[in-house]
Amino acid sequence: MASASNAARIFALACRRAPRVHPLPPVQQISRQSLAAQRAFSTSSARWTDEKTKKEGAEESEGELPQQLELKTMNKAFAETATPEGLRQLDELAKTNGYNTIDEFLTAKLRQTPGWASEDRALEEELLKDDIGEKPNKSSFWFDEEDPETNTEEHDEFDEDDITSMAHGKLEEVREMRHYARLAAWEMPLLSKFAKPFVPPKENEVLRWRYTTYMGESHPAERKVVVQFAPDDLKLTPVQTAKLKKLVGPRYNPETELVKISCESYEHQAQNKRYLTGLVDDLIAAAKDPKDTFEDVPLDLRHHRIKEKPRFPKEWRMTKERRLELDEQRKAAAIADMERAESGLLVDGKQAIDSYLMQKLIEEQEKQKVAEMVPAPKAGKGAAPARARR
């Protein structure tokens, strides 16, 4: 059975090249029958091409007047109103004339019709393009693989009536900042209604949970959940507490005496929290198992390196005794300086430097006077220059 889209397209081409009214042979009798049967599928009527043709057609017969059909409208109307029974009837009429389907009959009819040239092929390509749609440009910036029917040519046209992409990015940044500013000004104060006073954890609340959030943004690290607890708070015996520390291994911190375990294997935080809860229960159950207490196994702390922080020595700390001792030493030094100054044994550093500089200046002046008193000998015309002695 012929398809509605192919039959409509070929039928529209046949109508475009409809010949003038003349006696039809028996083979072409199917054309009139098919047109009569397809009249229910057509919603557009024939019309005159223009007024000039209408005036000229008055002199000719009615069957010789050229007509212009709305082929796209006919094609659409035929495809919408076609039914399987109607297409089956057209196929049966085509079989009586030696064709299997109505598509084969119309195709053969178009090939036999004179004037089947580039215009008809162009029309067929245009109708086929309307059925399939325009081919998107994959190299375009607006092409989307998830939506291949995107019209990329329309977006690629730039009529100098828009701002640049950089300006669009800046505008989007300003919009985001203003959005968060409105949230901070109008919605954040409303959260004070849900504020609760801080209540310290009870004795049975020994697990400390930590979650990660990115304020509504999706992030792979958001699923991570961390639990911390102190083995001494689990109300275990010393042997069981030591066994628990050995079971957790490198997750035990000897400085803070806390056990830290994290999980991000599952997609949601609730799943990771449930896994950690079961893991802590299993560790406590294993620590309480009396079959093996691990007393012969030493606690391995090589995973944690304790960094020694430099501290101020106690010997250098200022005490009252040290302060009195320093005061006595300073007083004794001052008395000794006074005695040296009276006996002339105390050296004045400033005076020593000034005297040295004055002596240096006097020596330079004497050397300059000696150089002025002894002038250099003048060389004669015939005298050869003195050779330098080695």
Side-chain angles (χ1 to χ4, degrees):
M1 185 175 66
S3 61
S5 60
N6 293 336
R9 187 175 68 257
I10 299 175
F11 177 71
L13 292 172
C15 293
R16 186 180 185 277
R17 282 294 180 180
R20 298 177 180 178
V21 178
H22 58 275
L24 299 175
V27 178
Q28 294 180 346
Q29 194 73 15
I30 184 70
S31 176
R32 297 178 61 83
Q33 295 176 2
S34 62
L35 292 174
Q38 295 178 7
R39 187 170 184 80
F41 303 126
S42 178
T43 57
S44 59
S45 58
R47 62 182 182 183
W48 300 107
T49 55
D50 51 12
E51 296 180 358
K52 183 178 181 180
T53 307
K54 185 176 180 180
K55 294 179 180 178
E56 293 177 356
E59 300 176 359
E60 301 179 358
S61 61
E62 294 181 1
E64 297 179 355
L65 292 176
Q67 297 178 352
Q68 182 179 0
L69 301 177
E70 296 181 0
L71 301 181
K72 294 183 179 180
T73 306
M74 293 175 61
N75 184 14
K76 183 178 180 181
F78 184 85
E80 292 177 354
T81 58
T83 59
E85 296 180 359
L87 295 175
R88 192 178 298 107
Q89 293 178 2
L90 293 177
D91 291 339
E92 291 177 358
L93 292 175
K95 290 180 181 179
T96 58
N97 288 270
Y99 298 94
N100 295 330
T101 59
I102 189 63
D103 293 345
E104 296 180 2
F105 170 76
L106 292 175
T107 304
K109 181 64 178 175
L110 289 174
R111 291 178 179 174
Q112 295 174 3
T113 303
W116 174 255
S118 59
E119 298 180 0
D120 303 311
R121 294 191 184 93
L123 180 60
E124 184 180 9
E125 293 177 357
E126 184 179 356
L127 293 175
L128 184 62
K129 186 176 180 182
D130 292 340
D131 294 339
I132 299 176
E134 297 182 359
K135 186 177 181 181
N137 184 13
K138 295 184 178 181
S139 62
S140 174
F141 176 78
W142 305 103
F143 177 73
D144 187 5
E145 295 181 356
E146 298 180 358
D147 186 13
E149 297 182 358
T150 304
N151 188 2
T152 56
E153 296 181 359
E154 178 182 356
H155 297 285
D156 289 340
E157 297 178 358
F158 184 67
D159 298 334
E160 301 294 339
D161 58 349
D162 196 3
I163 58 179
T164 61
S165 58
M166 186 179 296
H168 273 292
K170 188 64 177 179
L171 183 61
E172 188 66 25
E173 181 181 353
V174 173
R175 288 174 178 170
E176 185 178 4
M177 293 175 62
R178 294 183 65 183
H179 170 68
Y180 285 110
R182 286 192 292 268
L183 290 178
W186 301 104
E187 297 187 14
M188 293 292 285
L190 301 178
L191 297 178
S192 59
K193 300 178 181 178
F194 305 96
K196 297 180 180 179
F198 173 73
V199 178
K202 302 178 182 179
E203 293 183 358
N204 56 353
E205 297 176 355
V206 297
L207 300 181
R208 181 187 302 172
W209 300 95
R210 190 188 73 187
Y211 308 94
T212 305
T213 180
Y214 290 86
M215 303 297 292
E217 297 290 337
S218 178
H219 196 276
E222 193 174 8
R223 68 182 71 172
K224 183 177 181 180
V225 180
V226 182
V227 61
Q228 290 182 349
F229 63 93
D232 299 333
D233 297 339
L234 298 178
K235 298 181 180 180
L236 302 176
T237 62
V239 177
Q240 295 174 354
T241 303
K243 183 179 179 180
L244 180 62
K245 295 178 182 178
K246 297 172 185 177
L247 289 174
V248 296
R251 295 171 181 82
Y252 174 69
N253 189 345
E255 289 189 17
T256 59
E257 297 183 355
L258 294 176
V259 177
K260 181 179 178 182
I261 308 175
S262 63
C263 179
E264 51 182 344
S265 303
Y266 300 96
E267 184 177 0
H268 301 286
Q269 290 182 350
Q271 295 173 327
N272 293 316
K273 182 178 180 180
R274 182 178 180 182
Y275 171 78
L276 291 175
T277 304
L279 183 60
V280 173
D281 294 339
D282 295 341
L283 288 172
I284 295 174
K288 292 181 179 180
D289 189 5
K291 294 181 180 180
D292 191 358
T293 58
F294 291 179
E295 291 182 354
D296 56 338
V297 179
L299 181 60
D300 189 4
L301 300 177
R302 291 177 295 177
H303 61 276
H304 185 78
R305 296 182 179 179
I306 301 176
K307 297 181 180 179
E308 296 183 0
K309 298 181 180 179
R311 296 182 179 179
F312 196 81
K314 295 182 179 180
E315 295 78 7
W316 294 2
R317 294 180 181 178
M318 185 64 66
T319 59
K320 294 182 179 180
E321 294 78 6
R322 180 62 177 170
R323 191 181 298 279
L324 294 174
E325 183 180 356
L326 291 176
D327 292 341
E328 292 178 359
Q329 291 179 2
R330 290 167 185 164
K331 289 180 181 179
I335 294 171
D337 291 342
M338 291 176 62
E339 292 177 356
R340 290 177 185 177
E342 292 177 358
S343 60
L345 299 177
L346 185 63
V347 178
D348 191 355
K350 183 177 180 182
Q351 185 178 0
I353 293 173
D354 293 340
S355 60
Y356 173 79
L357 294 177
M358 185 62 67
Q359 184 178 0
K360 198 73 174 176
L361 181 59
I362 294 171
E363 292 178 358
E364 289 180 358
Q365 291 178 357
E366 291 178 355
K367 290 180 180 180
Q368 187 177 3
K369 291 180 180 180
V370 172
E372 292 178 357
M373 293 174 63
V374 182
K378 296 182 180 179
K381 294 182 179 180
R387 296 182 179 178
R389 298 180 179 179
R390 294 184 180 179

